[in-house]
Amino acid sequence: MSVRNKSFLLALVILLPVVAIWHLFSGTIDIDGDTFWTAVTNFDSDQLSHKVVWELRIPRMITALIAGAGLSIAGLLMQTLFNNPLAGPYVLGINSGASLFVALAIMAGIPVLSSDLGIVANALVGAFLFGLIIISFSSVVRQQISLLLIGLMLGSFTSAIVSVFQSASGLEELKIFTLWALGSLQSVTLEQLPILFAAFAATVLGGYLVVKPLNLLVLGASEAAMLGVRIKRVRFLIILITAVITGVVTAFCGPIAFVGLAVPNLIRIVMKTQNHGYLILGSLLTGAIFLLICDIAIQLLETKFALPINALTSLVGAPFVILLVLRRLR
Amino acid sequence: MITSKDLHIGYKQALVAVSDLHLEAGVYILIGKNGSGKSTFLKTLTGSIPTISGTISLHGTSIHSLSEPERPKKIAFVQTRFPVVDFLRVSEYLALGRSPHTAFFGKLTDHDKEMVQNALEALSIEHLTDRHTNELSDGERQMVAIARTFAQGTDIIALDEPTAFLDYQNKSEIVEKLMELGKTHGKFIVLSSHDIDQSIASGANFLIVDSKEKKLSHYPSGTSKEVIVEKAFN
């Protein structure tokens, strides 16, 4: 690894805990360092500030970190798999699959489905199913642009179906779903964190398991196959990893756009390498820092207006992607 | 030795019959009309598609019995178009050629690094080592792609029209280089080409797809242009 990339990664490793701690201390309720420390070391359930630390601050920080890091890794894997810098869980409709099945869970009125785990399971199934749909299209269409269009159409199609559900469902369900769809990092409870963490661990582990195939896939699927990559197996594994992290994050936080698209591209441009061992690490750290900063901004603005996380990531991400497209066309 | 027995090749149904081959190491230029089955032969030779019937073997082992991880240790393939990738240096691209031999995470051993270095020297492209692959000229790209197959260290190197997008001078350089490497390294180099004059001048052997009989056969170097044109294009 070049000295430049080493220093870059080192800077990220230092920056991440700084931003994470900053995130822990942002929010409308003022909590000083001492109170925070007592809450961690000597928890007292009667103290409001202690409850805020454990029930709001810590889960929200970890959620932002994991969602940002996980979606970025998922985006990186998909971009390499499809050999397309504009691929990502959101663009290719993996989120849409999760959304559709969450909509089913919340609004179809079947109680089993609408429990916490039920929603997660639904999001997982939806994400994986749509991943398989994209995979099957990818072997038929020749041009990568077609695949992106199909992904976008899947998105429109599902949102149309979701609208049908919405018009047919009760007020209470509609409210729950609408809030979910806006996206938020604050709905994860301490008890749910292990699910999120397990999905994240699986993503990082899975990502590093396919580092060698990923490094070859940048040459294109046919060349990778000629160099010994078992394409079908690797493809399935990557879609599975992407579905797990996208499904779980989407279930808890709602659809979060552009993180998975923008961060890996930024990392490739900055690190100027195709070694996925480093790209995964860079995307993980940058994705976490990016979403933490977005969420800090949301909390700073909270007193004036409530900005959904999905809106903020799109506000920042969409212009970046346009820049990216212009850069490639040049 | 590459040998074939009762070989019929094609997709789903037989497109071309192959007369039984007994090929010694060297350079073989594959000549035939468009759609006559040149690419099909290359894909069969590299084990990318199954045979319709019969076998093709390298040193007595059927190519199609090699496992997926084994095959790229014996057979390398060069596509007509070099993959255009950002941020990939020539040395890194050549190192990817070592991946059939490397362990799970693809870490290079000293031997791997030596193979990459030898490949750069064999193709006389040491000066390109640190260049990015997307900044190379078409001629340089083909040299780099061939160097990758040398780093890969395979017995068979199959090239699908490697000179298709090159100007005259680059074409000659590539063909001459392949001839030189074929003589000195004891490899089986099989390439398809549309340039008959240049192929004859190179002194390579021929594999010609007879357009009437739909049959691929081996012709030695020195076969006259009349015979080649008659067989392949009549």
Side-chain angles (χ1 to χ4, degrees):
Chain A
M1 185 165 35
S2 66
V3 179
R4 192 172 144 276
N5 281 348
K6 263 186 201 153
S7 359
F8 175 66
L9 286 177
L10 186 69
L12 292 178
V13 169
I14 296 167
L15 191 59
L16 178 59
V18 173
V19 176
I21 290 169
W22 181 17
H23 183 277
L24 284 174
F25 287 98
S26 48
T28 38
I29 301 167
D30 217 15
I31 293 174
D32 60 44
D34 288 339
T35 320
F36 198 97
W37 187 243
T38 341
V40 174
T41 53
N42 193 8
F43 178 67
D44 178 359
S45 62
D46 290 336
Q47 294 238 17
L48 177 68
S49 57
H50 287 194
K51 289 183 87 166
V52 168
V53 166
W54 279 103
E55 286 171 20
L56 298 176
R57 295 293 165 85
I58 291 177
R60 184 168 179 165
M61 186 276 281
I62 294 177
T63 306
L65 193 155
I66 288 180
L71 290 176
S72 300
I73 296 176
L76 175 71
L77 300 192
M78 300 205 82
Q79 281 159 23
T80 301
L81 175 64
F82 291 109
N83 225 323
N84 190 325
L86 296 180
Y90 196 84
V91 182
L92 289 181
I94 310 285
N95 281 54
S96 312
S99 296
L100 177 65
F101 277 65
V102 170
L104 269 175
I106 295 176
M107 296 188 291
I110 308 165
V112 184
L113 290 179
S114 52
S115 68
D116 276 350
L117 272 178
I119 289 182
V120 172
N122 267 278
L124 278 179
V125 171
F128 191 65
L129 196 70
F130 274 50
L132 289 182
I133 293 176
I134 282 291
I135 283 275
S136 50
F137 275 120
S138 80
S139 52
V140 184
V141 298
R142 278 174 172 256
Q143 291 211 323
Q144 291 295 342
I145 188 84
S146 321
L147 200 66
L148 295 182
L149 287 173
I150 289 171
L152 290 174
M153 289 308 113
L154 276 180
S156 309
F157 188 72
T158 46
S159 56
I161 296 182
V162 169
S163 307
V164 174
F165 278 132
Q166 283 173 317
S167 59
S169 73
L171 261 186
E172 187 56 28
E173 290 84 25
L174 197 60
K175 192 179 140 206
I176 297 175
F177 183 78
T178 310
L179 281 176
W180 174 85
L182 285 174
S184 160
L185 297 169
Q186 58 187 346
S187 57
V188 180
T189 65
L190 207 53
E191 292 72 34
Q192 291 167 336
L193 275 184
I195 304 177
L196 207 56
F197 191 78
F200 179 60
T203 305
V204 177
L205 200 71
Y208 274 99
L209 282 180
V210 290
V211 160
K212 187 175 162 183
L214 285 170
N215 288 344
L216 288 163
L217 276 168
V218 297
L219 304 175
S222 62
E223 186 125 346
M226 289 303 302
L227 284 164
V229 175
R230 292 176 153 112
I231 295 291
K232 280 187 181 161
R233 192 189 291 186
V234 170
R235 211 180 244 175
F236 183 81
L237 198 62
I238 290 176
I239 288 298
L240 190 66
I241 297 167
T242 314
V244 165
I245 192 68
T246 311
V248 169
V249 169
T250 308
F252 284 127
C253 313
I256 299 176
F258 287 105
V259 178
L261 178 54
V263 171
N265 276 300
L266 183 70
I267 286 303
R268 258 189 247 259
I269 293 170
V270 173
M271 295 184 76
K272 296 197 195 316
T273 179
Q274 290 290 358
N275 184 329
H276 283 70
Y278 307 141
L279 290 177
I280 291 177
L281 188 58
S283 300
L284 186 163
L285 294 166
T286 310
I289 292 169
F290 174 68
L291 207 58
L292 282 167
I293 291 178
C294 282
D295 200 39
I296 291 169
I298 284 174
Q299 296 187 59
L300 287 176
L301 295 169
E302 211 162 39
T303 47
K304 296 189 183 68
F305 52 94
L307 190 62
I309 185 78
N310 191 15
L312 186 58
T313 54
S314 301
L315 275 175
V316 182
F320 175 76
V321 172
I322 292 174
L323 276 178
L324 193 79
V325 172
L326 289 176
R327 182 179 165 273
R328 289 193 72 85
L329 285 179
R330 195 182 49 198
Chain B
M1 183 92 100
I2 292 180
T3 49
S4 76
K5 193 149 176 39
D6 304 329
L7 182 62
H8 288 80
I9 58 173
Y11 296 90
K12 286 179 183 148
Q13 57 182 24
L15 176 66
V16 173
V18 181
S19 25
D20 293 357
L21 299 171
H22 301 277
L23 307 179
E24 303 286 347
V27 179
Y28 296 85
I29 300 184
L30 193 52
I31 290 179
K33 278 184 184 170
N34 282 334
S36 63
K38 296 193 299 292
S39 297
T40 315
F41 179 73
L42 288 176
K43 283 180 179 157
T44 310
L45 176 68
T46 54
S48 307
I49 58 170
T51 62
I52 300 295
S53 65
T55 54
I56 181 161
S57 307
L58 171 68
H59 304 315
T61 311
S62 160
I63 281 166
H64 292 85
S65 71
L66 294 169
S67 68
E68 275 181 86
E70 276 306 308
R71 205 181 298 141
K73 292 181 187 169
K74 314 251 186 223
I75 306 163
F77 182 64
V78 175
Q79 297 174 335
T80 313
R81 287 273 188 197
F82 185 88
V84 178
V85 179
D86 290 339
F87 313 129
L88 188 70
R89 288 179 197 282
V90 169
S91 55
E92 293 168 323
Y93 175 69
L94 260 57
L96 288 177
R98 289 304 297 163
S99 50
H101 307 272
T102 57
F104 193 78
F105 287 106
K107 194 167 164 44
L108 298 178
T109 63
D110 287 343
H111 175 63
D112 293 323
K113 288 174 190 159
E114 199 187 312
M115 289 293 284
V116 169
Q117 191 55 41
N118 291 346
L120 287 165
E121 284 163 19
L123 272 293
S124 322
I125 52 165
E126 294 101 316
H127 59 288
L128 300 178
T129 310
D130 291 322
R131 291 269 297 278
H132 281 110
T133 48
N134 59 352
E135 293 163 355
L136 302 174
S137 72
D138 287 336
E140 288 170 334
R141 281 179 182 173
Q142 287 306 343
M143 285 291 189
V144 167
I146 295 165
R148 189 262 298 161
T149 67
F150 268 72
Q152 205 174 329
T154 58
D155 291 337
I156 298 178
I157 300 173
L159 307 98
D160 191 5
E161 297 191 27
T163 58
F165 298 105
L166 302 184
D167 60 27
Y168 182 78
Q169 195 191 344
N170 276 313
K171 271 185 190 177
S172 319
E173 268 178 38
I174 292 281
V175 174
E176 277 165 27
K177 198 75 206 179
L178 287 172
M179 288 304 294
E180 177 197 324
L181 295 168
K183 284 201 183 90
T184 49
H185 286 75
K187 290 174 187 282
F188 298 91
I189 300 176
V190 182
L191 62 142
S192 50
S193 175
H194 279 296
D195 199 325
I196 295 172
D197 291 322
Q198 198 161 40
S199 302
I200 292 170
S202 71
N205 291 286
F206 297 101
L207 296 170
I208 300 174
V209 187
D210 188 314
S211 60
K212 263 191 223 144
E213 290 180 37
K214 306 265 177 232
K215 187 157 189 154
L216 185 150
S217 313
H218 172 209
Y219 289 79
S221 64
T223 304
S224 71
K225 187 176 178 181
E226 289 70 34
V227 173
I228 296 174
V229 172
E230 159 79 25
K231 291 285 174 194
F233 298 100
N234 202 354

